[in-house]
Amino acid sequence: MKKRVLVTGAGGFIGSHLAEALVKKGYEVRAFVHYNSFNSWGWIDRIDEEIKNSLEIFNGDIQDPHGVRKAMEGCEMVFHLAALVGIPYSYRSPESYVDTNIKGTLNILQAAKELGIKKIIQTSTSEVYGTACRPSINEQHRINPQSPYAATKAAADFLTLAFYRSFNLPTVLMRPFNNYGPRQSARAIIPTIITQILAGSKIIKIGSLYPERDLVYVADTVRGFIGGAESKSAVGNIINIGTNSTVTIRALAGIIMKLMRVNKKIEIQKERVRPKGSEVERLKADITKAKKIINWSPQYNLEQGLEKTIAWLRKNHHLYKPFIYNV
Ligand SMILES: NC(=O)c1ccc[n+]([C@@H]2O[C@H](COP(=O)([O-])OP(=O)(O)OC[C@H]3O[C@@H](n4cnc5c(N)ncnc54)[C@H](O)[C@@H]3O)[C@@H](O)[C@H]2O)c1
């Protein structure tokens, strides 16, 4: 019999790719999408019809414990990705991040405990580490959130670990570094650069150029999540998902321009620069644990992942609003 799993945040960037991959692997997928009056299922509206038709759509709000519990009934595993993720918006509306990211995770954990769910895959983020204190960040690195977003994700991580320790709840904490790929919001750095180039902008406007990031292609992340879910030894662990290499934002813009065969001027737009103490200067994943526990390492290098992302954005650029910087 097929295993039924719940994916929260299934209408989003990573969640939609994960839901597709799980269907292809033979899981029965219940997709938790954020209820709205347009009956929009986010990116699920645009995936392959056959896969879409095989999904069981559950409309709800992660902040509501009753709906969350209902969504989890009959599921063996829960992949919890629903969250508010934009850092700039978290400066303005931090309380909504507390309600969605912390309370939402608590709702999942509490229902999982009551329902006896066999595994909870909780989605963390490299942002909880803050600027790296050593060349590469392993899972023992200090936790030092530098934005309200990161603080709420760290709190959700600690709740998850506390439920594992207190109640033996079988949790796996996946900690992806910066993701990119088709369907990512235009607020993120890679789609920001590509969509501006595709719109014919003469000047590419971005934030700070010096931060270094470890960029992981979304298909690799999805494979890591499924690996974490399918491995018995992953339970109770935190697992970094990254590439163990970095690129500065300046160099990244250069690589994208080269791949797109354009040469544009870059301008730092001050609204896009994070407050000084909030800027995470360097993130580079130590992925020893992912290799050891779930036999995972990335399959895409940066150029391969960027080629795929650029090709997808060339076809789907019309789905993105014309570039205006607003949080
Ligand atoms: N994109 C990255 O680089 C990255 C890196 C590390 C971790 N993450 C984590 O991965 C997860 C997915 O991020 P993403 O980049 O796909 O973002 P996304 O914004 O595309 O997806 C988030 C999803 O959560 C849903 N959501 C938000 N509030 C909700 C609510 N109240 N009820 C129900 N659903 C709600 C949204 O509708 C959206 O579909 C998040 O937990 C994020 O913190 C992302």
Side-chain angles (χ1 to χ4, degrees):
M1 214 176 67
K2 282 186 173 183
K3 281 189 185 169
R4 186 187 286 139
V5 300
L6 180 72
V7 179
T8 75
F13 160 48
I14 303 177
S16 61
H17 287 283
L18 177 63
E20 281 179 309
L22 286 164
V23 169
K24 286 185 189 154
K25 278 211 90 181
Y27 287 93
E28 216 171 89
V29 178
R30 188 175 287 163
F32 192 108
V33 298
H34 199 175
Y35 173 80
N36 61 83
S37 58
F38 304 105
N39 197 24
S40 162
W41 298 343
W43 285 113
I44 287 179
D45 284 332
R46 301 195 174 266
I47 65 176
D48 173 82
E49 281 296 310
E50 207 179 314
I51 296 184
K52 188 179 8 179
N53 292 337
S54 77
L55 295 172
E56 183 192 344
I57 303 293
F58 189 101
N59 279 287
D61 189 322
I62 212 70
Q63 295 181 27
D64 173 58
H66 307 283
V68 166
R69 193 183 193 283
K70 186 93 197 134
M72 287 166 62
E73 278 171 13
C75 292
E76 277 198 22
M77 293 198 273
V78 176
F79 293 85
H80 178 40
L81 287 88
L84 288 177
V85 307
I87 290 175
Y89 184 48
S90 83
Y91 298 133
R92 185 197 290 169
S93 298
E95 197 166 336
S96 58
Y97 283 64
V98 169
D99 294 340
T100 307
N101 299 355
I102 306 178
K103 178 81 187 333
T105 301
L106 180 63
N107 290 339
I108 295 278
L109 297 169
Q110 197 65 8
K113 181 174 155 242
E114 286 164 23
L115 295 168
I117 302 285
K118 294 211 175 91
K119 208 174 266 181
I120 304 295
I121 316 301
Q122 167 64 14
T123 313
S124 177
T125 167
S126 55
E127 285 282 330
V128 301
Y129 293 124
T131 296
C133 298
R134 8 182 213 268
S136 20
I137 300 177
N138 68 15
E139 293 80 355
Q140 268 86 51
H141 187 279
R142 68 163 188 191
I143 300 297
N144 184 38
Q146 291 176 238
S147 63
Y149 163 66
T152 60
K153 293 296 285 186
D157 288 1
F158 286 132
L159 273 174
T160 305
L161 294 169
F163 267 65
Y164 167 69
R165 292 176 188 136
S166 308
F167 311 116
N168 224 0
L169 192 73
T171 59
V172 182
L173 201 58
M174 302 304 296
R175 190 165 280 161
F177 282 58
N178 286 75
N179 267 242
Y180 68 99
R183 305 180 193 151
Q184 185 168 29
S185 155
R187 124 204 99 66
I189 185 64
I190 290 175
T192 292
I193 297 171
I194 300 173
T195 53
Q196 287 182 69
I197 294 173
L198 291 174
S201 312
K202 288 203 175 80
I203 299 170
I204 307 302
K205 295 179 180 171
I206 50 183
S208 301
L209 298 176
Y210 71 91
E212 287 175 56
R213 290 290 182 270
D214 184 332
L215 296 163
V216 56
Y217 188 62
V218 64
D220 279 327
T221 299
V222 162
R223 224 172 13 85
F225 271 55
I226 297 175
E230 291 181 343
S231 146
K232 274 206 180 100
S233 44
V235 172
N237 277 287
I238 303 171
I239 302 175
N240 283 343
I241 294 291
T243 65
N244 190 232
S245 59
T246 63
V247 61
T248 62
I249 303 302
R250 182 191 293 279
L252 173 67
I255 297 169
I256 294 173
M257 285 197 240
K258 196 171 157 213
L259 291 172
M260 295 180 78
R261 297 186 181 81
V262 293
N263 190 11
K264 308 265 183 187
K265 230 179 114 187
I266 295 174
E267 190 179 285
I268 297 176
Q269 198 180 15
K270 70 175 188 322
E271 301 81 51
R272 289 174 163 273
V273 176
R274 296 189 196 178
K276 201 169 179 305
S278 186
E279 184 56 85
V280 175
E281 292 175 6
R282 198 169 49 83
L283 289 170
K284 182 184 181 190
D286 178 329
I287 51 172
T288 312
K289 208 167 164 191
K291 283 184 184 156
K292 194 168 154 208
I293 297 187
I294 59 172
N295 192 23
W296 180 91
S297 50
Q299 287 179 350
Y300 290 85
N301 67 29
L302 185 58
E303 295 217 341
Q304 290 167 328
L306 285 175
E307 291 274 21
K308 283 193 161 289
T309 310
I310 292 165
W312 184 86
L313 274 165
R314 280 193 198 282
K315 277 199 202 131
N316 293 284
H317 185 217
H318 61 286
L319 300 175
Y320 285 70
K321 291 201 176 76
F323 173 75
I324 318 163
Y325 183 73
N326 56 14
V327 297

